[in-house]
């Protein structure tokens, strides 16, 4: 009887271990696949493939997270794109006339090619071109990593230096 009870306990422990292993595997899978960010603004690296190979997009680009949904601000190297289609949804160009085309689109996949269609008027008549965008999950970082944000910092530092220099110049002249 004692021997039989020991076998039952061993089986129970073994099944608890299996359950724990399964749970930890599921949690790991959810963590890796269910990458999520807090609402806010970030930067993310993006690559493009497909089309004629002549077009490019700005990278890193702005990544906004709203209600848990990551939305990338895609800026093309051309002003000739008038809309994009992502997962069957059409997104219109948000840039001003004469500026490079800009779209805010959802990031559906990380580290895997995301199929998009971009309509270009560069060839005279509108043509829908198929591309793949690749957003790198590991590259998600601070918004300050964007070139535009770095330029803002440089301007603020320059402004501070000018103001401080002016104050010091005033003090030195006043002492003379």
């Amino acid at each position: 009887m004692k021997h039989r009870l020991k076998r039952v306990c061993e089986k129970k422990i073994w099944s608890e271990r299996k359950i724990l292993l399964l749970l930890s595997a599921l949690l790991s899978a959810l963590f890796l696949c269910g990458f999520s960010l807090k609402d806010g603004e970030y930067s993310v690296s993006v690559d493009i493939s497909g089309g004629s190979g002549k077009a490019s997009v700005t990278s890193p680009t702005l990544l906004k997270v709203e209600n848990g949904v990551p939305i990338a601000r895609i800026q093309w190297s051309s002003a000739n794109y008038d809309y994009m289609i992502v997962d069957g949804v059409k997104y219109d160009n948000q840039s001003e006339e004469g500026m490079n085309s800009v779209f805010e689109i959802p990031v559906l996949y990380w580290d895997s090619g995301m199929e998009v269609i971009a309509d270009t008027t560069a060839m005279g008549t509108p043509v829908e071109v198929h591309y793949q965008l690749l957003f790198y999950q590991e590259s998600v970082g601070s918004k300050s990593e964007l070139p535009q944000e770095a330029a803002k910092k440089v301007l603020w530092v320059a402004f501070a230096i000018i103001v401080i220099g002016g104050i010091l110049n005033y003090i030195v002249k006043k002492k003379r």
Side-chain angles (χ1 to χ4, degrees):
M1 180 76 165
K2 189 176 182 183
H3 183 64
R4 188 172 187 189
L5 183 59
K6 185 178 177 186
R7 286 179 70 183
V8 170
C9 289
E10 285 175 352
K11 284 185 181 181
K12 184 177 180 188
I13 290 170
W14 176 245
S15 63
E16 286 175 345
R17 285 184 187 157
K18 281 184 180 177
I19 290 170
L20 285 174
L21 285 171
L22 283 172
L23 283 174
S24 82
L26 283 172
L27 287 173
S28 296
L30 285 173
F31 178 76
L32 293 174
C33 298
F35 176 71
S36 64
L37 295 166
K38 293 180 182 176
D39 286 2
E41 293 184 336
Y42 304 87
S43 67
V44 64
S45 294
V46 59
D47 280 335
I48 186 171
S49 61
S52 66
K54 294 179 183 178
S56 64
V57 295
T58 302
S59 182
T61 192
L62 177 66
L63 179 72
K64 293 181 191 176
V65 178
E66 298 171 355
N67 298 318
V69 177
I71 300 168
R73 184 178 188 272
I74 300 297
Q75 180 175 354
W76 290 86
S77 57
S78 163
N80 296 317
Y81 291 95
D82 56 353
Y83 66 85
M84 287 181 70
I85 299 174
V86 179
D87 200 29
V89 178
K90 183 178 174 182
Y91 298 88
D92 291 320
N93 182 6
Q94 297 180 350
S95 69
E96 295 177 22
E97 187 70 31
M99 302 295 290
N100 285 355
S101 301
V102 173
F103 301 88
E104 289 191 355
I105 62 170
V107 176
L108 303 177
Y109 310 107
W110 296 105
D111 303 319
S112 178
M114 188 175 99
E115 298 288 329
V116 299
I117 298 170
D119 186 71
T120 181
T121 57
M123 299 169 229
T125 57
V127 176
E128 288 187 346
V129 182
H130 292 260
Y131 295 97
Q132 281 195 337
L133 296 176
L134 181 59
F135 295 95
Y136 296 96
Q137 178 179 334
E138 269 188 24
S139 73
V140 174
S142 170
K143 178 183 170 187
S144 65
E145 295 175 24
L146 296 169
Q148 308 88 302
E149 294 301 314
K152 285 180 189 176
K153 284 183 181 177
V154 168
L155 289 174
W156 278 110
V157 169
F159 177 74
I161 290 170
I162 291 169
V163 169
I164 292 169
I167 292 169
L168 289 174
N169 187 33
Y170 174 78
I171 293 170
V172 168
K173 283 185 176 182
K174 189 146 181 138
K175 284 188 175 183
R176 287 186 192 169

